[in-house]
């Protein structure tokens, strides 16, 4: 009954809350009730939208964070595998490959996994992607990184 008491007060006391300026009229009780309901509806809608927005934002962030993590993990696994394969090679071409490989591993290790507010996150991710493409060119491999419902991975 407390809700109806508030509505009753809003309608009856509308004249006291609204002050009309020169040449203006005071709203009727119906207009005051409509304004009150509009304000209440707005507030309820705002709170509901804010709550749903937080939930949806968290889901979106989790999904895209998982995609980025999967991509970086795939690059890291690729780099570690090739480091093992090139470890015993000592030609000049191989040293170029190893330098690019170590550079990629270093970039991955410095990547801020636990700071989503890092302002250069996408810039650093683009640098890692570029280094990965450079390394693939040096190694003469054509990887195809895919993220799907079943999982992610590289195919050759």
């Amino acid at each position: 009954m407390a809700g109806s008491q508030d509505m009753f007060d809003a309608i009856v006391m509308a004249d006291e809350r609204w002050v009309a300026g020169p040449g203006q009229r005071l709203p009727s009780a119906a207009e005051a009730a409509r304004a009150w309901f509009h304000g209440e509806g707005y507030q309820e809608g705002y709170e509901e939208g804010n709550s749903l927005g937080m939930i949806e934002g968290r889901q979106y962030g989790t999904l895209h964070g998982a995609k980025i993590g999967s991509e970086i993990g795939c690059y890291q696994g690729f780099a570690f595998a090739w480091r093992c394969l090139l470890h015993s090679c000592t030609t000049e071409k191989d040293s170029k490959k190893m330098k690019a490989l170590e550079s990629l591993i270093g970039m991955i290790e410095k990547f801020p996994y636990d700071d989503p507010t890092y302002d250069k996150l996408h810039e650093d991710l683009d640098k890692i992607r570029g280094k990965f493409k450079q390394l693939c060119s040096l190694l003469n491999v054509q990887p195809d990184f895919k993220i799907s419902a079943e999982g992610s991975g590289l195919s050759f």
Side-chain angles (χ1 to χ4, degrees):
M1 206 60 183
S4 63
Q5 182 67 27
D6 291 337
M7 182 177 66
F8 179 75
D9 285 345
I11 293 170
V12 172
M13 303 305 225
D15 291 342
E16 292 178 16
R17 285 185 296 135
W18 293 34
V19 178
Q24 294 180 331
R25 66 174 183 81
L26 289 174
S28 68
E31 290 171 330
R34 186 173 29 249
W36 184 81
F37 281 118
H38 176 76
E40 285 291 309
Y42 174 83
Q43 187 62 33
E44 288 177 15
Y46 179 82
E47 290 170 3
E48 180 73 17
N50 195 23
S51 175
L52 290 175
M54 293 292 283
I55 292 168
E56 187 176 322
R58 189 171 292 120
Q59 289 172 342
Y60 182 82
T62 301
L63 175 67
H64 287 282
K67 286 180 181 179
I68 289 172
S70 180
E71 180 180 358
I72 296 289
C74 198
Y75 295 156
Q76 188 175 33
F78 177 87
F80 286 159
W82 274 99
R83 183 168 61 179
C84 290
L85 292 172
L86 295 175
H87 183 63
S88 60
C89 300
T90 56
T91 65
E92 185 179 329
K93 269 186 159 180
D94 291 332
S95 69
K96 235 180 166 179
K97 294 173 187 176
M98 282 300 288
K99 185 178 177 184
L101 194 56
E102 293 301 330
S103 175
L104 176 63
I105 291 171
M107 293 168 79
I108 290 170
E109 288 174 349
K110 291 178 186 172
F111 190 76
Y113 298 101
D114 56 351
D115 185 12
T117 60
Y118 177 63
D119 57 339
K120 294 183 179 182
L121 185 98
H122 291 286
E123 193 176 306
D124 286 354
L125 184 59
D126 287 339
K127 287 179 182 177
I128 290 172
R129 287 174 178 150
K131 185 57 77 173
F132 174 73
K133 288 178 184 178
Q134 178 191 16
L135 182 60
C136 288
S137 177
L138 288 170
L139 296 171
N140 199 25
V141 294
Q142 305 264 333
D144 184 19
F145 182 79
K146 293 184 180 181
I147 298 174
S148 63
E150 301 87 42
S152 63
L154 284 171
S155 62
F156 298 91

